[in-house]
Amino acid sequence: MTPASENITEKIRQELPDDEVLYDLAELFKVFGDTTRVKILYVLFESELCVNDIAQCLNMTPSAVSHQLRILKSSKLAKFRREGKTVYYSLDDDHVRSMISLGMEHIAE
């Protein structure tokens, strides 16, 4: 190993996040590993919707959509607000919007 590469590897080793942080990152990407969840995120990319509207858009049952939304909420990818008896879902924040946009850009190349 050359002195230059030793410096680089030592710098990388020092800047490497803790295993717990990298585990959390890997878990986040696992959520994107399910096509149904990605479809729901893509629908929410377009508009805030209730469970029934999401189910209709994706030709799924409201129960199946609700199950996936629980996972998306626990991963901080989706959020909800209540209006009377209706619950509306949307992307959690602009980071999620950026992740979807970048992913679509990447596969379009």
Side-chain angles (χ1 to χ4, degrees):
M1 201 180 284
T2 66
S5 64
E6 284 179 26
N7 289 341
I8 291 169
T9 56
E10 184 57 32
K11 181 179 187 279
I12 291 169
R13 190 177 296 119
Q14 288 176 359
E15 293 177 1
L16 192 65
D18 292 339
D19 285 349
E20 186 177 319
V21 172
L22 294 174
Y23 173 83
D24 290 344
L25 181 61
E27 288 299 308
L28 173 66
F29 283 116
K30 281 183 188 177
V31 174
F32 283 97
D34 181 274
T35 306
T36 301
R37 289 192 288 266
V38 172
K39 285 179 183 179
I40 291 171
L41 289 171
Y42 193 82
V43 167
L44 295 178
F45 187 91
E46 298 300 323
S47 180
E48 175 185 68
L49 295 168
C50 68
V51 171
N52 288 332
D53 291 342
I54 296 168
Q56 187 175 8
C57 286
L58 300 177
N59 198 26
M60 295 173 60
T61 65
S63 175
V65 169
S66 291
H67 173 73
Q68 297 301 334
L69 283 167
R70 275 192 292 280
I71 295 167
L72 294 171
K73 285 188 309 185
S74 71
S75 299
K76 298 179 184 161
L77 294 173
K79 63 182 179 181
F80 69 95
R81 71 173 178 84
R82 207 175 281 283
E83 194 173 290
K85 290 185 176 189
T86 307
V87 178
Y88 292 93
Y89 292 87
S90 60
L91 298 180
D92 190 78
D93 60 25
D94 285 337
H95 294 115
V96 181
R97 184 170 293 283
S98 296
M99 290 166 58
I100 295 167
S101 293
L102 288 171
M104 292 299 285
E105 237 177 84
H106 182 75
I107 62 169
E109 289 180 353

